[in-house]
Amino acid sequence: MLRFLVFTDLHMEDCQDGPERLETILRHAKDEQVDFIVSLGDLCFPVEQHAHVMDRLNTCGIPVHHTIGNHDVQEWDIAHSLRFLGKERPWEAFEAGGYKFIILDTCYWKSENGAFHFPNKERIPSLYPWVPEEQLAWLKEQLADGKKYVIFSHMSLVNPFARRGIANKEAIQQLFEGKDILLCMNGHDHGSDLKWVNGVPYCTVSSASQFCWWGGDPPRVENIFYKDPLHVIVEIDDQEIRILGMESEFAGLTPEDVGVTDYRWNGVDVHPRAQSHTIKRQQ
Ligand SMILES: [Fe+2]
Ligand SMILES: [Fe+2]
């Protein structure tokens, strides 16, 4: 059985207790003896004051695989962020336990002049996010070897909520047709979700820190913190895929305080939990 831990959207710059949150995640990974850890992005601004985050991850004794999130390239070009994360390429694949894991980079925006990697410093109006042709061609090649795949991305490949998921969803979903895609996982939405599209499960993992609410009159922004660093452990065996989540509570403000009484934000569930799911594998 293969077991790995997935966390996302720690946003170290936004939470005072970020180091403790990271320690909690790493302790759990160690206790569960996971084979590897995946960060689905928005880890921390890639600046010197956060070098301790990478030092800690690089010395935790467990391989950590990084996904590029929009906040990882909010003010910095992709080359800088790759250096900070110790990543060679923005998208990549690795194998473990007989499965192939594919990490996509969805942090592109598109205008009439083409697709560009974030940052979109000039704030040019665009359709975003977007996976450009070059990466789609690479993905097609990666999916040509008849293996069983798990796909990671920062943005959802299916969330239709305003500008949350990638804009060219159908192009990706077409590439998955006839392939043995066990699971797709994403972050970015700071809540939980599981959607099935064409027989493929797409799981959104909640944030290890908070969700950012905006609204009101006059307009304001509030960080609604989850008390614990939400994350999941994923187990894959021959029969099923188990996504083992966790329950928490809010630390301070709650969704009710800002009028989110249905606990839905950005198209996902913002109860203070990482959802658990059991997915039977098709034999
Ligand atoms: Fe985020
Ligand atoms: Fe994000």
Side-chain angles (χ1 to χ4, degrees):
M1 181 179 68
L2 187 74
R3 181 188 283 127
F4 56 95
L5 183 149
V6 179
F7 77 97
T8 187
D9 296 279
L10 178 60
H11 287 267
M12 186 66 81
E13 59 279 352
D14 289 338
C15 48
Q16 290 179 335
D17 61 349
E20 290 80 13
R21 288 173 181 263
L22 186 59
E23 286 309 315
T24 301
I25 291 168
L26 294 179
R27 201 177 318 120
H28 195 197
K30 208 159 200 173
D31 289 348
E32 290 290 326
Q33 297 185 306
V34 297
D35 295 286
F36 57 87
I37 296 170
V38 175
S39 161
L40 291 175
D42 286 359
L43 176 66
C44 60
F45 286 165
V47 294
E48 183 57 32
Q49 75 185 86
H50 290 148
H52 67 95
V53 177
M54 295 311 301
D55 288 345
R56 188 66 190 94
L57 288 170
N58 291 337
T59 57
C60 75
I62 302 170
V64 182
H65 300 277
H66 292 278
T67 313
I68 299 287
N70 51 308
H71 286 270
D72 303 318
V73 283
Q74 181 168 296
E75 303 291 339
W76 307 270
D77 64 28
I78 181 65
H80 173 91
S81 298
L82 288 174
R83 270 196 305 277
F84 181 86
L85 293 169
K87 229 173 125 64
E88 279 183 35
R89 289 174 295 279
W91 56 81
E92 55 194 333
F94 65 94
E95 295 191 29
Y99 306 102
K100 188 170 186 179
F101 297 85
I102 297 176
I103 300 178
L104 299 178
D105 177 5
T106 51
C107 296
Y108 291 77
W109 54 280
K110 189 169 192 276
S111 75
E112 54 199 17
N113 297 322
F116 303 93
H117 206 286
F118 286 11
N120 181 353
K121 280 186 183 164
E122 292 79 30
R123 307 242 173 234
I124 295 169
S126 64
L127 243 189
Y128 73 97
W130 185 266
V131 178
E133 284 301 324
E134 182 191 5
Q135 193 177 158
L136 291 176
W138 173 85
L139 176 58
K140 189 174 180 183
E141 271 174 34
Q142 291 298 318
L143 296 173
D145 53 13
K147 296 193 167 144
K148 300 174 191 315
Y149 310 98
V150 176
I151 316 286
F152 301 116
S153 59
H154 183 62
M155 281 83 164
S156 168
L157 305 180
V158 292
N159 187 355
F161 197 81
R163 291 184 164 195
R164 296 308 294 179
I166 60 166
N168 52 341
K169 301 173 185 64
E170 289 77 14
I172 293 260
Q173 290 162 21
Q174 265 176 21
L175 294 180
F176 290 169
E177 276 177 27
K179 307 296 181 186
D180 202 346
I181 311 290
L182 300 180
L183 177 65
C184 297
M185 304 187 83
N186 71 281
H188 184 58
D189 293 328
H190 291 231
S192 293
D193 193 46
L194 181 73
K195 278 189 179 59
W196 286 84
V197 179
N198 299 331
V200 175
Y202 294 81
C203 175
T204 303
V205 180
S206 193
S207 163
S209 59
Q210 37 68 287
F211 77 92
C212 184
W213 173 90
W214 58 89
D217 184 18
R220 68 186 205 279
V221 172
E222 302 280 8
N223 279 328
I224 315 278
F225 281 93
Y226 303 121
K227 186 175 173 192
D228 299 290
L230 300 178
H231 59 276
V232 299
I233 301 263
V234 183
E235 294 179 345
I236 304 179
D237 64 24
D238 292 342
Q239 304 297 316
E240 57 189 26
I241 301 155
R242 291 176 292 280
I243 299 169
L244 308 170
M246 57 188 282
E247 298 288 329
S248 181
E249 50 194 289
F250 289 104
L253 278 182
T254 74
E256 307 264 353
D257 294 330
V258 293
V260 181
T261 53
D262 61 357
Y263 288 69
R264 300 286 299 176
W265 187 252
N266 286 334
V268 295
D269 167 24
V270 292
H271 281 95
R273 65 184 174 211
Q275 289 179 358
S276 297
H277 300 280
T278 299
I279 296 164
K280 295 285 174 205
R281 284 183 55 178
Q282 287 148 9
Q283 301 297 320

